[in-house]
Amino acid sequence: MTRRHAFERGLTHAAAYATAHGHVAAPVGREHDGFALGRWLATQRKRADQLTPERARALHDLDAHWNPPWPLTWQRAFHAARRHQEAGHSLTDVPRDCTTDDGHRLGEWLRTQRLCPERLAPVQRRLLDGLGLIQSAEQPPDTGKPAARSWDRGLATARVCLSPP
């Protein structure tokens, strides 16, 4: 099999995956019709700077964020949030312990995005903006003195922002 044919085969599977899922952030172990799609995509990302402009464009046309500078885990969680919203659910009232059927800790992820927007790249913020997520910190209930509330909010934000995404 020629390299061109191998790339076209992988691209065909990636296109089918993108049609079904709306992205190509497939996990490394994902197979599509017996083809090791996740592994193939990981290889393309690893060699992104060596791809011809035509191949890079073909992948970009499937998913503008096929090779983001941020972790793919973030990209997968973003798409889980998008799917949740497209299914008719609100993203503003997702319980913190909500985990999707495919294992994304959606509630915790959404909370982290709201509490720590400064950790995000501008493009990530725009993606979240497209979902209508407000980039403001969650506020604890108003109890106690104003200085104590401010301290508690700051401490809660620091804990979330310093924990791994």
Side-chain angles (χ1 to χ4, degrees), residues 6-127:
F7 182 84
E8 291 301 323
R9 181 174 179 226
L11 190 63
T12 299
H13 285 283
Y17 185 89
T19 298
H21 300 279
H23 63 87
V24 294
V28 173
R30 179 62 54 102
E31 289 197 5
H32 181 265
D33 287 340
F35 180 78
L37 177 62
R39 173 63 47 212
W40 183 83
L41 286 165
T43 299
Q44 303 315 302
R45 288 184 190 100
K46 185 176 178 182
R47 299 179 181 164
D49 59 341
Q50 300 166 10
L51 292 176
T52 65
E54 295 79 22
R55 288 180 178 186
R57 170 55 59 194
L59 288 164
H60 183 272
D61 288 347
L62 294 179
D63 180 352
H65 305 291
W66 74 275
N67 188 26
W70 51 83
L72 273 176
T73 53
W74 188 94
Q75 197 67 15
R76 290 182 192 120
F78 167 78
H79 287 294
R82 181 185 51 80
R83 283 189 309 273
H84 187 77
Q85 187 179 59
E86 288 173 353
H89 306 290
S90 169
L91 295 178
T92 58
D93 59 0
V94 175
R96 189 170 172 188
D97 63 351
C98 174
T99 301
T100 64
D101 292 339
D102 51 357
H104 294 288
R105 294 174 48 210
L106 185 61
E108 190 63 38
W109 183 84
L110 287 166
R111 181 174 185 271
T112 300
Q113 305 319 297
R114 288 190 302 269
L115 286 174
C116 304
E118 69 281 353
R119 292 175 69 186
L120 301 173
V123 174
Q124 289 173 294
R125 280 186 238 137
R126 281 194 297 275
L127 287 170

